[in-house]
């Protein structure tokens, strides 16, 4: 076209000349003598092409004549089969690809995020209102179970200590009173009811003492100081710190969040169409982002293996995706909470093959592919789509080794749409 334009011939005229030559060549071919019925789909293509410009309309018109000639000469045993000559196959631009059995395995890749399992994290909160007197750890620090995290000073802590002291005094008084009444009862000086009342009072005083001591222990109040010592409930890593030194905090105010990171969750949002294949137990490979070495060079991404443990039972209305959760073992800090990763899930491979997306055609609400059974003999085969990604579709219903049409499917679809010629 550039050469024609250089000689002063307009581009539209060059397109006209080129397609006129194609039409003259087509008229001299065996297809022209057999052009009978033109299918409705080809006519629609010409109508749509007119709105896109003269060049597109003439190109579609040429394809229309080719399809018309092929449809008139195609030999068919049923509506699902057409037989074409070698020249017809070449004119329609049909290309065949053999389905490789090694392509049966399929892997789906999903963006995912690393989260901490809820059962492997703890929140450390202020048991009483108080002043943050000291902080012993910060975000990212590893901690041992029972290690001191922070110290608070609280007036309520002193009140708890006073309550425990009073409860202890009441226990001693009730115990001495019970001993005296038991002696008097043995001498026959008091009635049984008075002894029973003394025993009940002693049990009540002891129960109150136990209750107040437990409250003091839960608050972490150290003996006689009015201080509250907060300790790590589990061994792990400090993920969050909500308090600062000198801050006054209310009761139940969060101070730290600690988690154990040897096991992590990887949560994916997968298309709802893939949900049936993502059953619990399915193998998952998580690809972490490449890490940079000391020299600044990027290292290869590392893969971590895991398993699907849960599948969401509801579909997000906006994205039409479902939550898929996998559990992985991540040591040495390869994965971190909040990190964005890529999760690869092995899809069912039995009875499925992978095809280029252009080989799969939607026709009449069904998904089909065109298969060449013998030289020039094509059959329309319904398939089921298992997964689609990156211009590759995993389908069922086609056996490995089949000769599948991967180019020229639109023209072949038009040929099948036209009524077969009489034998």
């Amino acid at each position: 076209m550039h050469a024609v334009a250089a000689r002063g011939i307009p581009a539209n005229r060059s397109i006209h000349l080129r397609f006129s030559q194609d039409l003259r060549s087509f008229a001299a071919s065996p297809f022209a003598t057999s052009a009978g019925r033109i299918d409705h789909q080809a006519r629609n293509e010409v109508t749509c092409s007119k709105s896109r410009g003269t060049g597109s309309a003439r190109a579609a018109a040429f394809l229309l004549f080719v399809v018309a000639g092929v449809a008139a000469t195609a030999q068919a045993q049923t509506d699902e089969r057409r037989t074409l000559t070698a020249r017809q196959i070449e004119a329609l631009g049909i290309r065949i690809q053999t389905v490789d059995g090694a392509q049966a395995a399929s892997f789906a890749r999903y963006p995912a995020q690393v989260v901490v399992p809820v059962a492997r994290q703890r929140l450390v909160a202020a048991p009483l209102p108080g002043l943050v007197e000291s902080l012993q750890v910060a975000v990212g620090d590893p901690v041992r179970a029972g290690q001191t995290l922070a110290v608070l000073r609280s007036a309520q802590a002193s009140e708890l200590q006073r309550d425990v002291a009073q409860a202890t005094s009441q226990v001693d008084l009730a115990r001495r009173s019970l001993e005296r009444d038991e002696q008097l009862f043995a001498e026959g000086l008091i009635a049984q009811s008075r002894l029973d009342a003394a025993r009940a009072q002693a049990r009540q005083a002891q129960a109150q003492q136990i209750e107040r001591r437990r409250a003091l222990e839960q608050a972490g109040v150290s003996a006689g100081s009015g201080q509250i010592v907060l300790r790590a409930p589990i061994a792990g890593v400090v993920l969050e710190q909500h308090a600062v030194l000198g801050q006054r905090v209310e009761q139940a105010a969060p101070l730290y969040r600690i988690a154990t990171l040897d096991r992590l969750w990887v949560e994916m949002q997968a298309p709802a169409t893939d949900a049936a294949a993502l059953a619990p137990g399915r193998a998952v490979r998580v690809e972490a982002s490449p890490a940079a070495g000391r020299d600044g060079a990027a290292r290869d991404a590392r893969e971590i293996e895991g398993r699907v443990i849960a599948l969401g039972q509801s579909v997000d209305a906006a994205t039409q995706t479902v939550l898929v959760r996998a559990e992985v073992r991540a040591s040495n800090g390869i994965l971190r909470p909040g990190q964005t990763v890529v999760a690869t899930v092995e899809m069912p491979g039995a009875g499925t093959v992978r095809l280029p997306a252009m080989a799969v055609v939607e026709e009449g609400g069904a998904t089909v592919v065109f298969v060449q059974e013998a030289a020039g003999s094509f059959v329309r085969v319904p398939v089921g789509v298992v997964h689609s990604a990156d211009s590759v579709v995993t389908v069922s219903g086609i056996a490995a080794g089949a000769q599948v049409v991967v180019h020229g499917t639109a023209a072949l679809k038009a040929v099948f749409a036209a009524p077969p010629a009489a034998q």
Side-chain angles (χ1 to χ4, degrees), residues 171-192:
V171 168
D172 292 339
L173 179 61
R175 179 176 53 79
R176 290 195 298 267
S177 178
L178 176 59
E179 291 175 353
R180 183 177 63 253
D181 287 346
E182 287 177 343
Q183 183 178 359
L184 293 175
F185 179 77
E187 296 175 356
L189 299 177
I190 61 173
Q192 178 71 42

Side-chain angles (χ1 to χ4, degrees), residues 293-384:
R294 294 183 179 179
D295 56 356
R299 299 172 182 169
D300 294 337
R302 301 186 62 178
E303 290 189 347
I304 302 163
E305 295 184 355
R307 294 282 176 183
V308 175
I309 61 172
L311 180 65
Q313 299 303 308
S314 61
V315 178
D316 187 283
T319 61
Q320 290 298 294
T321 58
V322 296
L323 173 66
V324 182
R325 181 181 296 125
E327 185 179 68
V328 299
R329 288 182 175 271
S331 58
N332 301 326
I334 300 175
L335 295 181
R336 292 178 172 86
Q339 183 178 355
T340 299
V341 296
V342 175
T344 302
V345 183
E346 184 177 358
M347 306 297 285
T352 63
V353 295
R354 299 179 67 192
L355 299 174
M358 64 182 65
V360 181
V361 179
E362 296 291 334
E363 188 174 35
T367 304
V368 300
V369 298
F370 299 107
V371 177
Q372 181 177 243
E373 292 185 324
S377 179
F378 297 90
V379 62
R380 182 168 46 191
V381 179
V383 295

Side-chain angles (χ1 to χ4, degrees), residues 171-256:
V171 168
D172 292 339
L173 179 61
R175 179 176 53 79
R176 290 195 298 267
S177 178
L178 176 59
E179 291 175 353
R180 183 177 63 253
D181 287 346
E182 287 177 343
Q183 183 178 359
L184 293 175
F185 179 77
E187 296 175 356
L189 299 177
I190 61 173
Q192 178 71 42
S193 59
R194 179 174 170 176
L195 178 61
D196 293 340
R199 288 174 176 172
Q201 186 177 4
R203 287 193 296 267
Q204 183 179 1
Q206 189 175 13
Q208 188 176 30
Q209 182 193 40
I210 294 173
E211 179 183 353
R212 291 183 177 180
R213 280 183 175 176
R214 183 178 295 117
L216 192 67
E217 292 174 358
Q218 290 177 348
V221 179
S222 59
S225 64
Q227 291 181 332
I228 301 175
V229 179
L230 300 179
R231 303 183 184 277
I234 60 173
V237 177
V238 178
L239 296 183
E240 297 176 4
Q241 175 184 330
H242 300 281
V244 295
L245 190 65
Q247 177 184 0
R248 287 193 175 273
V249 294
E250 298 298 328
Q251 185 175 10
L255 303 180
Y256 288 103

